[in-house]
Amino acid sequence: MTTTPLSTTSSRARPARSLRTRLARLPGILVTALTLVLALAWVFPLYWALITSFKPENDTVSNPPTLWPQTFDLGAYTYIFQNSPIVRWYLNSIVSSVAITVLVLLLSMLCAYALSQIDFQGRRWLYWLILAGFMIPFQASLIPLFIFVNQLGLVNNYMGLILPQLAAPLAVVIYKQFFDQIPPELADAARIDGASEWRVLFGIFLPLNWSITFSLGIVTFIAAWNNFLWPFIVMNDTSKLTIPVGITQVQSAYGVAYAKTMATAVTAAVPTIVAYLLFQRRVTEGVMATAGLKG
Amino acid sequence: MLNTVPPTRQEQPAPSRQAQVRKRLMTALLLVAPFTLVYLVFLIYPTLRVIQLSFTNADLLGAGTFTGLQNYIKLFHEPTFWTALLNTVYFILLTAVPNTLLGLGLAMLVLRLRRLRNLVLAAFFMPFVLPVSVVTNVWNWVLDSNFGLVNFVTGSNITWFQDPVWALPSVAFVTIWWTVGFNVLLFIAGLQSISAEIYEAAALDGASGWRLFWSITWPNLWPVTSLILLLQLIAQFKIFDQIYLLTQGGPFDKTLVLLLYSYREGFQQQHGGYASTIGVVLMVVILLVSAIQIRVLNRGDRA
């Protein structure tokens, strides 16, 4: 199982070259131009949202629309920061997403280590139970989940927001696959030297798997930040919303005020876009792993 | 580095073996307990409970009383349910196959590039990392009937998300824009794993263009294609967020889908039992689709 990024390694680029020679019979420059135009068209709505957020509200409905703000205006941003709990929602999102990421990684790692390296009764049975979780759509049992969380008194509570999001079997399975690759002699030798299982996990297995841990961490963080349905169901107080849920409230409150709506959208999107741009390779690696295709 | 560790494990004292096994079991249980507990309590238990609730008249707070098959009988006689089911299937037709084919096409275009490859891939993948509400806000603006860019450029005055004919296709289009980058990524990995030698051999035999695509690329890519179709099908059966944010199921239930129907019945009408029945139907459909697709996928693997 290699963890090389998909598009950069030279040995892996060879099939691409033959694809290229194949398509070279087509007018190559035209195809390249078409690709670039498509790519520009694809990101254009994001560009449009961004520059709209820097326009004064009146200019957003100007006819014809302008591709660049005629007057560069931060009014929409100052308005939303002063007149909505967006900072609070931001904090809620950061705290819950970071907590979910750390806990998912930790819990999955512990469980996967035992499944992979310790021979105990019932381990095969437990692994099958966890694999079965892949097939289960949590959305289908939204009602009993809500009733249960409500009975625990965790509606409108960060525990109620976070705990159900930890019940994801994916990271366990990925960690187990990676741990299975490590020769058992390594753990045995450490055990003979007197190391506990915890020492073996955190001293040997984790350092050997920093790369996938980091990729999984980024992908988990983005997914937690973007999660909509469960936060939308379980958090009702305006002050307790996460930002993707919160911004849907602002929109209706403003009426047709697109500069402000786009300013909130841009603000909510910044962390995931920055995370993606900074860690592009990690994100794609994590996505490949979670899709079951280990790059 | 791995080879430097000497394989010495012969000096285990025999008498304490049983104690060792017990200690190992305790350690293992301690390690698996946190995840397993959360998993059983917040995923497995609600999944079993939804089946039980579907046979009751529970509200949103509690148990309700057993009503047998009443919810199921009512559901199958309810025109709204069939509307929601048909809309869901229509939405899947509008998204799953186009999203897969577009993903393949874009992947092939991206792979042709040399210098700009990562940049162009990023352009297609970027929307995928956005929260759904950001996506819907952006497209509400671009497709606004009065001041939106699309209607300005095309000169139309369609109210995209409120039009009975256009509403569901519009949501499908937004969904494809949002998620196709994921498919592009998987297809690129799939295309790169086809060895160059096969292409070279076929090219020597005089094959070219479409011939190469149909006899080499497509069959070799089938496992990936099949996986993507499966992921698409399952994801689109659970469609909720975009619909709720863009159309709320309107106009006239033209975009009402299964999960939204369940949400309405459960959280807005307080019909917990009935909403659970819809949930069970959804779950059964998804399990069936997975089972069928996994068989197809395995067959593709063997080919």
Side-chain angles (χ1 to χ4, degrees), chain B residues 81-102:
Chain B
F81 166 71
W82 296 104
T83 306
L85 184 64
L86 279 179
N87 285 342
T88 308
V89 171
Y90 181 39
F91 184 77
I92 290 169
L93 288 177
L94 288 169
T95 49
V97 173
N99 210 359
T100 306
L101 291 179
L102 184 65

PDB file of all heavy atoms in Angstrom, chain B residues 81-102:
ATOM      1  N   PHE B  81     -45.835   9.765  -0.614  1.00  0.00           N
ATOM      2  CA  PHE B  81     -44.688   8.861  -0.525  1.00  0.00           C
ATOM      3  C   PHE B  81     -44.187   8.500  -1.923  1.00  0.00           C
ATOM      4  O   PHE B  81     -42.985   8.532  -2.195  1.00  0.00           O
ATOM      5  CB  PHE B  81     -45.050   7.592   0.233  1.00  0.00           C
ATOM      6  CG  PHE B  81     -44.042   6.490   0.080  1.00  0.00           C
ATOM      7  CD1 PHE B  81     -42.795   6.579   0.672  1.00  0.00           C
ATOM      8  CD2 PHE B  81     -44.330   5.365  -0.692  1.00  0.00           C
ATOM      9  CE1 PHE B  81     -41.849   5.573   0.517  1.00  0.00           C
ATOM     10  CE2 PHE B  81     -43.382   4.357  -0.857  1.00  0.00           C
ATOM     11  CZ  PHE B  81     -42.149   4.457  -0.254  1.00  0.00           C
ATOM     12  N   TRP B  82     -45.136   8.173  -2.818  1.00  0.00           N
ATOM     13  CA  TRP B  82     -44.743   7.791  -4.176  1.00  0.00           C
ATOM     14  C   TRP B  82     -44.132   8.979  -4.913  1.00  0.00           C
ATOM     15  O   TRP B  82     -43.186   8.821  -5.683  1.00  0.00           O
ATOM     16  CB  TRP B  82     -45.928   7.203  -4.935  1.00  0.00           C
ATOM     17  CG  TRP B  82     -46.384   5.934  -4.282  1.00  0.00           C
ATOM     18  CD1 TRP B  82     -47.480   5.743  -3.495  1.00  0.00           C
ATOM     19  CD2 TRP B  82     -45.696   4.670  -4.310  1.00  0.00           C
ATOM     20  NE1 TRP B  82     -47.531   4.455  -3.031  1.00  0.00           N
ATOM     21  CE2 TRP B  82     -46.448   3.774  -3.515  1.00  0.00           C
ATOM     22  CE3 TRP B  82     -44.516   4.215  -4.922  1.00  0.00           C
ATOM     23  CZ2 TRP B  82     -46.057   2.442  -3.325  1.00  0.00           C
ATOM     24  CZ3 TRP B  82     -44.136   2.893  -4.730  1.00  0.00           C
ATOM     25  CH2 TRP B  82     -44.897   2.027  -3.939  1.00  0.00           C
ATOM     26  N   THR B  83     -44.681  10.176  -4.661  1.00  0.00           N
ATOM     27  CA  THR B  83     -44.064  11.383  -5.223  1.00  0.00           C
ATOM     28  C   THR B  83     -42.610  11.492  -4.774  1.00  0.00           C
ATOM     29  O   THR B  83     -41.703  11.705  -5.585  1.00  0.00           O
ATOM     30  CB  THR B  83     -44.825  12.639  -4.766  1.00  0.00           C
ATOM     31  OG1 THR B  83     -46.206  12.478  -5.094  1.00  0.00           O
ATOM     32  CG2 THR B  83     -44.278  13.890  -5.417  1.00  0.00           C
ATOM     33  N   ALA B  84     -42.399  11.320  -3.471  1.00  0.00           N
ATOM     34  CA  ALA B  84     -41.046  11.455  -2.920  1.00  0.00           C
ATOM     35  C   ALA B  84     -40.119  10.396  -3.496  1.00  0.00           C
ATOM     36  O   ALA B  84     -38.963  10.680  -3.832  1.00  0.00           O
ATOM     37  CB  ALA B  84     -41.082  11.357  -1.393  1.00  0.00           C
ATOM     38  N   LEU B  85     -40.615   9.179  -3.619  1.00  0.00           N
ATOM     39  CA  LEU B  85     -39.799   8.096  -4.163  1.00  0.00           C
ATOM     40  C   LEU B  85     -39.433   8.375  -5.620  1.00  0.00           C
ATOM     41  O   LEU B  85     -38.266   8.269  -6.019  1.00  0.00           O
ATOM     42  CB  LEU B  85     -40.541   6.763  -4.039  1.00  0.00           C
ATOM     43  CG  LEU B  85     -39.759   5.520  -4.479  1.00  0.00           C
ATOM     44  CD1 LEU B  85     -38.547   5.298  -3.587  1.00  0.00           C
ATOM     45  CD2 LEU B  85     -40.644   4.282  -4.465  1.00  0.00           C
ATOM     46  N   LEU B  86     -40.448   8.773  -6.401  1.00  0.00           N
ATOM     47  CA  LEU B  86     -40.186   9.064  -7.825  1.00  0.00           C
ATOM     48  C   LEU B  86     -39.229  10.231  -7.982  1.00  0.00           C
ATOM     49  O   LEU B  86     -38.319  10.189  -8.810  1.00  0.00           O
ATOM     50  CB  LEU B  86     -41.507   9.355  -8.550  1.00  0.00           C
ATOM     51  CG  LEU B  86     -42.305   8.118  -8.959  1.00  0.00           C
ATOM     52  CD1 LEU B  86     -43.612   8.526  -9.641  1.00  0.00           C
ATOM     53  CD2 LEU B  86     -41.483   7.214  -9.886  1.00  0.00           C
ATOM     54  N   ASN B  87     -39.430  11.280  -7.180  1.00  0.00           N
ATOM     55  CA  ASN B  87     -38.510  12.423  -7.236  1.00  0.00           C
ATOM     56  C   ASN B  87     -37.088  11.999  -6.910  1.00  0.00           C
ATOM     57  O   ASN B  87     -36.128  12.464  -7.526  1.00  0.00           O
ATOM     58  CB  ASN B  87     -38.947  13.516  -6.261  1.00  0.00           C
ATOM     59  CG  ASN B  87     -40.157  14.286  -6.760  1.00  0.00           C
ATOM     60  OD1 ASN B  87     -40.475  14.245  -7.952  1.00  0.00           O
ATOM     61  ND2 ASN B  87     -40.840  14.959  -5.860  1.00  0.00           N
ATOM     62  N   THR B  88     -36.956  11.124  -5.897  1.00  0.00           N
ATOM     63  CA  THR B  88     -35.621  10.661  -5.515  1.00  0.00           C
ATOM     64  C   THR B  88     -34.973   9.911  -6.672  1.00  0.00           C
ATOM     65  O   THR B  88     -33.807  10.148  -7.006  1.00  0.00           O
ATOM     66  CB  THR B  88     -35.699   9.752  -4.273  1.00  0.00           C
ATOM     67  OG1 THR B  88     -36.436  10.425  -3.255  1.00  0.00           O
ATOM     68  CG2 THR B  88     -34.314   9.419  -3.752  1.00  0.00           C
ATOM     69  N   VAL B  89     -35.749   9.032  -7.310  1.00  0.00           N
ATOM     70  CA  VAL B  89     -35.208   8.262  -8.440  1.00  0.00           C
ATOM     71  C   VAL B  89     -34.854   9.196  -9.593  1.00  0.00           C
ATOM     72  O   VAL B  89     -33.785   9.078 -10.217  1.00  0.00           O
ATOM     73  CB  VAL B  89     -36.218   7.183  -8.887  1.00  0.00           C
ATOM     74  CG1 VAL B  89     -35.764   6.523 -10.187  1.00  0.00           C
ATOM     75  CG2 VAL B  89     -36.387   6.134  -7.797  1.00  0.00           C
ATOM     76  N   TYR B  90     -35.730  10.158  -9.867  1.00  0.00           N
ATOM     77  CA  TYR B  90     -35.463  11.139 -10.917  1.00  0.00           C
ATOM     78  C   TYR B  90     -34.182  11.916 -10.615  1.00  0.00           C
ATOM     79  O   TYR B  90     -33.333  12.113 -11.486  1.00  0.00           O
ATOM     80  CB  TYR B  90     -36.662  12.084 -11.046  1.00  0.00           C
ATOM     81  CG  TYR B  90     -36.539  13.145 -12.119  1.00  0.00           C
ATOM     82  CD1 TYR B  90     -35.966  12.878 -13.354  1.00  0.00           C
ATOM     83  CD2 TYR B  90     -37.025  14.445 -11.893  1.00  0.00           C
ATOM     84  CE1 TYR B  90     -35.867  13.861 -14.331  1.00  0.00           C
ATOM     85  CE2 TYR B  90     -36.933  15.427 -12.861  1.00  0.00           C
ATOM     86  CZ  TYR B  90     -36.344  15.133 -14.077  1.00  0.00           C
ATOM     87  OH  TYR B  90     -36.237  16.109 -15.034  1.00  0.00           O
ATOM     88  N   PHE B  91     -34.034  12.308  -9.357  1.00  0.00           N
ATOM     89  CA  PHE B  91     -32.826  13.049  -8.962  1.00  0.00           C
ATOM     90  C   PHE B  91     -31.574  12.192  -9.176  1.00  0.00           C
ATOM     91  O   PHE B  91     -30.543  12.687  -9.634  1.00  0.00           O
ATOM     92  CB  PHE B  91     -32.929  13.483  -7.498  1.00  0.00           C
ATOM     93  CG  PHE B  91     -31.779  14.334  -7.054  1.00  0.00           C
ATOM     94  CD1 PHE B  91     -31.718  15.668  -7.410  1.00  0.00           C
ATOM     95  CD2 PHE B  91     -30.742  13.791  -6.313  1.00  0.00           C
ATOM     96  CE1 PHE B  91     -30.647  16.462  -7.013  1.00  0.00           C
ATOM     97  CE2 PHE B  91     -29.671  14.576  -5.919  1.00  0.00           C
ATOM     98  CZ  PHE B  91     -29.629  15.907  -6.273  1.00  0.00           C
ATOM     99  N   ILE B  92     -31.685  10.907  -8.859  1.00  0.00           N
ATOM    100  CA  ILE B  92     -30.544  10.007  -9.041  1.00  0.00           C
ATOM    101  C   ILE B  92     -30.188   9.913 -10.524  1.00  0.00           C
ATOM    102  O   ILE B  92     -29.011   9.959 -10.900  1.00  0.00           O
ATOM    103  CB  ILE B  92     -30.849   8.624  -8.453  1.00  0.00           C
ATOM    104  CG1 ILE B  92     -30.896   8.719  -6.928  1.00  0.00           C
ATOM    105  CG2 ILE B  92     -29.812   7.596  -8.876  1.00  0.00           C
ATOM    106  CD1 ILE B  92     -31.446   7.494  -6.257  1.00  0.00           C
ATOM    107  N   LEU B  93     -31.224   9.798 -11.385  1.00  0.00           N
ATOM    108  CA  LEU B  93     -30.966   9.752 -12.824  1.00  0.00           C
ATOM    109  C   LEU B  93     -30.268  11.024 -13.286  1.00  0.00           C
ATOM    110  O   LEU B  93     -29.368  10.996 -14.124  1.00  0.00           O
ATOM    111  CB  LEU B  93     -32.282   9.589 -13.596  1.00  0.00           C
ATOM    112  CG  LEU B  93     -32.949   8.218 -13.494  1.00  0.00           C
ATOM    113  CD1 LEU B  93     -34.274   8.218 -14.237  1.00  0.00           C
ATOM    114  CD2 LEU B  93     -32.020   7.140 -14.051  1.00  0.00           C
ATOM    115  N   LEU B  94     -30.683  12.160 -12.712  1.00  0.00           N
ATOM    116  CA  LEU B  94     -30.111  13.440 -13.119  1.00  0.00           C
ATOM    117  C   LEU B  94     -28.679  13.631 -12.627  1.00  0.00           C
ATOM    118  O   LEU B  94     -27.937  14.449 -13.162  1.00  0.00           O
ATOM    119  CB  LEU B  94     -30.969  14.593 -12.595  1.00  0.00           C
ATOM    120  CG  LEU B  94     -32.331  14.818 -13.255  1.00  0.00           C
ATOM    121  CD1 LEU B  94     -33.149  15.816 -12.458  1.00  0.00           C
ATOM    122  CD2 LEU B  94     -32.154  15.305 -14.687  1.00  0.00           C
ATOM    123  N   THR B  95     -28.297  12.899 -11.576  1.00  0.00           N
ATOM    124  CA  THR B  95     -26.969  13.134 -11.000  1.00  0.00           C
ATOM    125  C   THR B  95     -26.000  11.979 -11.215  1.00  0.00           C
ATOM    126  O   THR B  95     -24.890  12.189 -11.701  1.00  0.00           O
ATOM    127  CB  THR B  95     -27.051  13.412  -9.489  1.00  0.00           C
ATOM    128  OG1 THR B  95     -27.863  12.407  -8.881  1.00  0.00           O
ATOM    129  CG2 THR B  95     -27.601  14.780  -9.215  1.00  0.00           C
ATOM    130  N   ALA B  96     -26.392  10.763 -10.846  1.00  0.00           N
ATOM    131  CA  ALA B  96     -25.408   9.674 -10.728  1.00  0.00           C
ATOM    132  C   ALA B  96     -24.634   9.429 -12.026  1.00  0.00           C
ATOM    133  O   ALA B  96     -23.403   9.488 -12.038  1.00  0.00           O
ATOM    134  CB  ALA B  96     -26.084   8.393 -10.257  1.00  0.00           C
ATOM    135  N   VAL B  97     -25.349   9.158 -13.103  1.00  0.00           N
ATOM    136  CA  VAL B  97     -24.650   8.833 -14.345  1.00  0.00           C
ATOM    137  C   VAL B  97     -23.944  10.064 -14.938  1.00  0.00           C
ATOM    138  O   VAL B  97     -22.755   9.985 -15.276  1.00  0.00           O
ATOM    139  CB  VAL B  97     -25.607   8.169 -15.349  1.00  0.00           C
ATOM    140  CG1 VAL B  97     -24.929   7.990 -16.698  1.00  0.00           C
ATOM    141  CG2 VAL B  97     -26.065   6.821 -14.819  1.00  0.00           C
ATOM    142  N   PRO B  98     -24.629  11.221 -15.048  1.00  0.00           N
ATOM    143  CA  PRO B  98     -23.910  12.407 -15.565  1.00  0.00           C
ATOM    144  C   PRO B  98     -22.670  12.747 -14.743  1.00  0.00           C
ATOM    145  O   PRO B  98     -21.625  13.076 -15.304  1.00  0.00           O
ATOM    146  CB  PRO B  98     -24.950  13.531 -15.459  1.00  0.00           C
ATOM    147  CG  PRO B  98     -26.257  12.844 -15.457  1.00  0.00           C
ATOM    148  CD  PRO B  98     -26.048  11.515 -14.803  1.00  0.00           C
ATOM    149  N   ASN B  99     -22.788  12.630 -13.421  1.00  0.00           N
ATOM    150  CA  ASN B  99     -21.666  12.979 -12.549  1.00  0.00           C
ATOM    151  C   ASN B  99     -20.497  12.024 -12.771  1.00  0.00           C
ATOM    152  O   ASN B  99     -19.328  12.427 -12.737  1.00  0.00           O
ATOM    153  CB  ASN B  99     -22.129  12.911 -11.082  1.00  0.00           C
ATOM    154  CG  ASN B  99     -21.385  13.886 -10.207  1.00  0.00           C
ATOM    155  OD1 ASN B  99     -20.510  14.614 -10.674  1.00  0.00           O
ATOM    156  ND2 ASN B  99     -21.715  13.898  -8.927  1.00  0.00           N
ATOM    157  N   THR B 100     -20.809  10.753 -13.020  1.00  0.00           N
ATOM    158  CA  THR B 100     -19.755   9.772 -13.254  1.00  0.00           C
ATOM    159  C   THR B 100     -19.087  10.017 -14.609  1.00  0.00           C
ATOM    160  O   THR B 100     -17.856  10.046 -14.711  1.00  0.00           O
ATOM    161  CB  THR B 100     -20.350   8.354 -13.194  1.00  0.00           C
ATOM    162  OG1 THR B 100     -21.040   8.198 -11.958  1.00  0.00           O
ATOM    163  CG2 THR B 100     -19.278   7.303 -13.306  1.00  0.00           C
ATOM    164  N   LEU B 101     -19.903  10.197 -15.649  1.00  0.00           N
ATOM    165  CA  LEU B 101     -19.333  10.415 -16.987  1.00  0.00           C
ATOM    166  C   LEU B 101     -18.542  11.714 -17.054  1.00  0.00           C
ATOM    167  O   LEU B 101     -17.440  11.760 -17.617  1.00  0.00           O
ATOM    168  CB  LEU B 101     -20.448  10.419 -18.039  1.00  0.00           C
ATOM    169  CG  LEU B 101     -21.108   9.062 -18.276  1.00  0.00           C
ATOM    170  CD1 LEU B 101     -22.215   9.181 -19.317  1.00  0.00           C
ATOM    171  CD2 LEU B 101     -20.081   8.023 -18.698  1.00  0.00           C
ATOM    172  N   LEU B 102     -19.096  12.778 -16.453  1.00  0.00           N
ATOM    173  CA  LEU B 102     -18.378  14.047 -16.444  1.00  0.00           C
ATOM    174  C   LEU B 102     -17.052  13.904 -15.695  1.00  0.00           C
ATOM    175  O   LEU B 102     -16.020  14.426 -16.124  1.00  0.00           O
ATOM    176  CB  LEU B 102     -19.240  15.143 -15.798  1.00  0.00           C
ATOM    177  CG  LEU B 102     -18.641  16.537 -15.821  1.00  0.00           C
ATOM    178  CD1 LEU B 102     -18.516  17.055 -17.247  1.00  0.00           C
ATOM    179  CD2 LEU B 102     -19.491  17.508 -14.994  1.00  0.00           C
TER     180      LEU B 102
END
